[in-house]
């Protein structure tokens, strides 16, 4: 396919897109056809209607101007055609030979080739023929003159003329079409503006010319540093300080903090600072710029500073910088004050700016070097630059001048504290405190530092005294010192130590106002710490400020409604003010929480009358509950109130302990009940109710020995109270108690009479007391018989006889009672009657008879033995073997070591034995009835009898 045919096909496709109003694509196809066959394409476009022709021309012009991109086209007749602006310009000039746009493009091409003079000549021609396109032609000619280097000022004048005529279009053209030559253009302006000028190149006023130049430069190269500096300098010179600040700020955005050492950036900073200064009311911004500049390169900054500021201005700058310094440091102090986290370092980020400001002042105020150096050391210490601060302090302290001596010592002390040189730190702090007239703030720092060191030495009380003294000097400064100078990892320990020591001081009723100041300090250090608020309220209470304490506790309660320590204190204060219902409701909350021990630390703090009030109220509430209700839940609530009352009493309230012990016993908590009884008996070993109560608990635990011991002890003290208590128990419990007491009494009495140790008066008194109690508790015969035995043991025979007759009547049907009567009859030497009663007992209970024979002396026993043997012989002769056996048993038991009586006993036993075998029926009866007596017949008799 020939180029002509291909161009025709491309034009046909262009017509198709043109019919669909796709003008850019249609124009692109026509341009592709032009690249294949120019005549074909030109003929085709020229054959279009005038309107369509003009649209194609306009489209080509926009491509040549670079306003739009040439679209990519695809055709089935050929591969993708690469179209360019150059082809568009040639196509345009072929279609319209006098077209300025295509001419400008060609001239730009020539200029790139270095044909500056030719470009200038053709631009002059075109300007005369086409004034409509003066801006493009002026800018093209301007660049040609600048690049030629011969008529630079005329070129700059063309730039400014075009810029003034069409500001936006001119800037856009220069930036897009002349961007590669922009550095040369800027350099040309720089050379021109740097040279002293008496008149403008374009005939306008010099000020107008300069203003237009800087406007043009800032428009085409807004980020160029030289442009910005030059414009800022011009604006500053013209006292257009706001515009100067804006230009400098815009330029400085491109610099990081590390790039401020660049001289251009340094100049911008100082230029802006000077503009701020002369504007007025922009002290902080001015000082910030100056400080940053001097921090970057002090020497260069000082040189620029002296160029911008006169000596008088310097004095004003120093004054304003000092004001800003105080404002910045005050902002740091406020950030520290409002810091919520005790161990946090919020606010430290403000210190670098403060340090820069101090360093700037050191550069411009050589006369205040020592004062500012002290400030610098302080700021470095606060920021954590310990070594730097320590070096400054050492240097200043070594100097001959002694101003700020205490301040430097305090600062060096904290530096040493941070480096763990406690000895050096303590020496420095001590010097400050012992100084004749220490500076208050330095003294506060020294007290805080010394107190911190004393913690490590274990002197916690002295630590508290140091901080109380510091608070009394100035609370706010003490707070600031702790939050900023004390190492962050030691503040928590300091807080706890001061809390504990403050609590101890209140418990010992020491210096409540001092503790209040200490507590106020702790609250400021950590407002979320409940213990500090409580300590503050306790101190207020001891100072008599009850309402203030109440308000503070309410505030603390709002943050933690379930805090038992706060609720307990509020309850006590409400009771103190007479609001019994409110106080009781608060106590109920504490009981529901289950933390009754929260009262323990309070009691040493509150006054005796208030503790007594709490004790009385809680005791009364417990009694009311127990009176109306007896459910387990009610008893538990009563126990809680009783616990409050006991704590309020100081740990010992007898009546409350007794009631609580009984409540624990009711709930089955036996061991806990015994604990309360023990607490009472420790203070009052003869407390009847505690002894009997503990005895009853031991009874339920089946601990016989302990129960009997406690009950006997109680009976010895006040039997009249113990007996009703025993009678109030269930029948089974009463029976068990009386049996245990009787068993104990019989054992003791048996041991006593068996040893004939009648000198044990105390034991006899105890037994008599037990016996009396037993007959009051229970009317059974065994208890009356025991009482009689005790009376006999005491030698009170008439009383014993009277009691026997009163208890059993004059005709004693009870064999055991009759035996006691026999003992009494022996005392009256009525042996036969006594022998009769004893013989009856001998058949029933030989052991009991043996016990009673202990009351009979040896002589009476011998006489009794003889009578018994004789009576037995008589009965044998009368064949009354059953009765005879009783007498012979008595004779044997009373014979003791008498050989004759013992021999008699053997013979009679042989006789009885022989008679038993001869009379079988009687023998069987005797053996059945008297096995005990037969066992006493000697084995030899049985053997001899066969």
């Amino acid at each position: 396919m020939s180029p002509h045919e291909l161009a025709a096909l491309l034009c046909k496709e262009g017509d198709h897109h043109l019919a669909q109003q796709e003008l850019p694509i249609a124009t692109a196809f026509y341009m592709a056809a032009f690249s294949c066959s120019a005549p074909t394409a030109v003929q085709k476009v020229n054959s279009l209607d005038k309107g369509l022709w003009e649209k194609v021309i306009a489209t080509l012009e926009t491509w040549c101007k670079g306003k739009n991109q040439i679209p990519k086209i695809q055709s089935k007749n050929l591969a993708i055609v690469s179209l360019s602006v150059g082809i568009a310009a040639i196509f345009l000039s072929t279609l319209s030979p006098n077209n300025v746009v295509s001419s400008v493009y060609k001239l730009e091409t020539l200029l790139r080739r270095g044909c500056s003079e030719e470009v200038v000549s053709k631009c002059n021609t075109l300007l005369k023929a086409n004034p409509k396109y003066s801006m493009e032609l002026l800018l093209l000619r301007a660049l040609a003159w600048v690049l030629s280097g011969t008529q630079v000022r005329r070129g700059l004048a063309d730039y400014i003329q075009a810029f003034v005529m069409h500001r936006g279009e001119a800037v856009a053209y220069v930036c897009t079409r002349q961007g590669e030559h922009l550095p040369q253009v800027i350099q040309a302006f720089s050379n021109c503006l740097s040279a002293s000028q008496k008149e403008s190149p374009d005939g306008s006023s010099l000020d107008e010319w300069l203003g237009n130049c800087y406007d043009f430069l800032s428009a085409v190269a807004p980020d160029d540093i030289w442009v910005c500096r030059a414009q800022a300098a011009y604006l500053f010179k013209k006292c257009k300080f706001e515009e100067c600040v804006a230009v400098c700020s815009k330029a400085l955005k491109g610099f990081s903090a590390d790039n401020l050492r660049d001289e251009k950036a340094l100049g911008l900073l100082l230029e802006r600072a000077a503009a701020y200064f002369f504007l007025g009311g922009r002290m902080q911004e001015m000082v910030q710029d100056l400080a940053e500049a001097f921090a970057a390169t002090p020497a260069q900054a000082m040189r620029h500073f002296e160029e911008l500021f006169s000596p008088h201005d310097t004095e004003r700058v120093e004054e304003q910088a000092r004001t800003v310094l105080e404002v910045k440091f005050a902002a740091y102090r406020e950030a520290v004050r409002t810091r919520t986290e005790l161990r946090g370092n919020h606010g430290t980020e403000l210190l670098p700016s403060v340090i820069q400001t101090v360093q700037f002042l050191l550069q411009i105020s050589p006369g205040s070097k020592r004062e500012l150096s002290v400030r610098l050391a302080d700021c470095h210490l606060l920021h954590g630059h310990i070594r730097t601060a320590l070096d400054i302090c050492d240097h200043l302290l070594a100097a001959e001048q002694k101003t700020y001596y205490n301040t430097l010592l305090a600062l060096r002390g904290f530096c040493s504290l941070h480096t763990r040189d406690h000895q050096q730190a303590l020496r420095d702090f001590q010097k400050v405190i012992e100084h004749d007239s220490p500076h208050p703030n330095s003294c506060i720092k020294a007290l805080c530092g010394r107190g911190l060191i004393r913690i490590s030495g274990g002197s916690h009380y002295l630590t508290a005294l140091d901080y109380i003294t510091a608070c009394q000097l100035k609370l706010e400064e003490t707070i600031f010192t702790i939050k900023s100078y004390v190492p962050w990892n030691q503040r928590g320990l300091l807080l706890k130590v001061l809390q504990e020591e403050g609590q101890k001081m209140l418990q010992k009723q020491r210096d409540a106002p001092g503790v209040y100041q200490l507590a106020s300090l702790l609250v400021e250090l950590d407002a979320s710490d409940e213990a500090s608020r409580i300590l503050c309220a306790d101190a207020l209470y001891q100072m008599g400020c009850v309402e203030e304490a109440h308000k503070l506790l309410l505030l603390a309660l709002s943050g933690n409604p379930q805090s038992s320590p706060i609720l307990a204190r509020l309850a006590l204060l409400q009771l103190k003010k007479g609001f019994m219902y409110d106080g009781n409701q608060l106590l109920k909350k504490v009981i529901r929480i289950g933390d009754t021990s929260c009262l323990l630390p309070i009691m040493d703090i509150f006054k005796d009358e208030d503790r007594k009030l709490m004790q009385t109220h809680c005791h009364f509430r417990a009694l009311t509950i127990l009176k109306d209700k007896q459910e387990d839940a009610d008893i538990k609530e009563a126990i809680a109130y009783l616990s409050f009352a006991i704590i309020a009493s100081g740990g010992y309230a007898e009546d409350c302990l007794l009631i609580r012990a009984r409540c624990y016993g009711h709930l089955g908590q036996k061991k806990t009940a015994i604990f309360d009884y023990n607490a009472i008996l420790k203070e009052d070993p003869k407390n009847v109710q505690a002894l009997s109560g503990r005895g009853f608990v031991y009874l339920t635990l089946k601990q016989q020995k302990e129960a009997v011991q406690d009950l006997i002890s109680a009976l010895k003290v006040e039997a009249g109270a113990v007996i009703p208590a025993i009678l109030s128990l269930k029948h089974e419990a009463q029976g068990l108690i009386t049996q245990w007491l009787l068993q104990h009494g019989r054992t003791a009495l048996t041991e006593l009479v068996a040893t004939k140790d009648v000198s044990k008066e105390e034991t006899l008194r105890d037994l008599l007391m037990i016996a009396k109690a037993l007959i009051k508790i229970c009317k059974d015969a065994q208890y009356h018989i025991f009482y009689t035995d005790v009376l006999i043991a005491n030698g009170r025979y008439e009383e014993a006889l009277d009691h026997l007759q009163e208890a059993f009547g004059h005709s004693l049907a009870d064999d055991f009672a009759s035996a006691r009567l026999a003992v009494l009859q022996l005392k009256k030497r009525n042996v036969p009657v006594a022998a009769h009663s004893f013989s009856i007992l001998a058949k029933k209970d030989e052991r009991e008879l043996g016990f009673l024979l202990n009351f009979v002396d040896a002589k009476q026993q011998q006489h009794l033995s003889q009578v018994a043997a004789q009576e037995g012989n008589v009965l044998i002769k009368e064949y009354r073997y059953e009765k005879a056996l009783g007498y012979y048993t008595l004779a044997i038991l009373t014979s003791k070591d008498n050989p004759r009586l013992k021999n008699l006993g053997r013979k009679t036993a042989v006789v009885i034995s022989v008679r038993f075998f001869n009379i079988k029926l009687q023998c069987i009866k005797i053996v059945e009835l008297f096995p005990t007596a037969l066992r006493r017949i000697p084995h030899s008799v049985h053997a001899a009898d066969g």
Side-chain angles (χ1 to χ4, degrees), residues 376-435:
L376 185 62
D378 189 16
C379 291
H380 277 304
L381 172 59
L382 293 172
H383 197 236
H385 304 154
I386 308 302
R387 179 51 57 187
T388 304
L390 185 59
D391 291 343
I392 296 173
C393 290
D394 286 339
H395 174 73
L396 294 175
L397 285 168
E400 293 183 3
Q401 192 176 357
K402 295 302 178 183
T403 54
Y404 302 101
Y405 183 72
N406 284 331
T407 303
L408 287 167
L409 283 175
L411 293 177
R412 188 173 71 175
F414 270 106
C415 289
S416 301
L417 190 63
H418 278 271
T419 57
R420 300 189 178 183
D421 187 357
H422 287 183
Q423 293 299 322
Q424 180 61 49
L426 188 58
R427 285 195 293 270
D428 286 343
F429 292 141
Q430 202 67 30
K431 286 179 183 178
V432 176
I433 295 167
E434 294 174 355
H435 197 272

Side-chain angles (χ1 to χ4, degrees), residues 27-28 33 64 123 174 196 209 294 343 427 432 455 458 493 553 570 597 629 653 661 732 734 748 766 863 920:
T27 305
C64 290
C123 282
V174 171
S196 58
W209 158 254
F294 275 83
R343 297 173 182 81
R427 285 195 293 270
V432 176
I455 290 178
L493 174 62
L553 288 171
L570 282 171
S597 62
K629 303 171 184 177
E732 295 80 0
Q734 292 182 39
D766 291 349
H863 191 191
K920 294 181 179 179

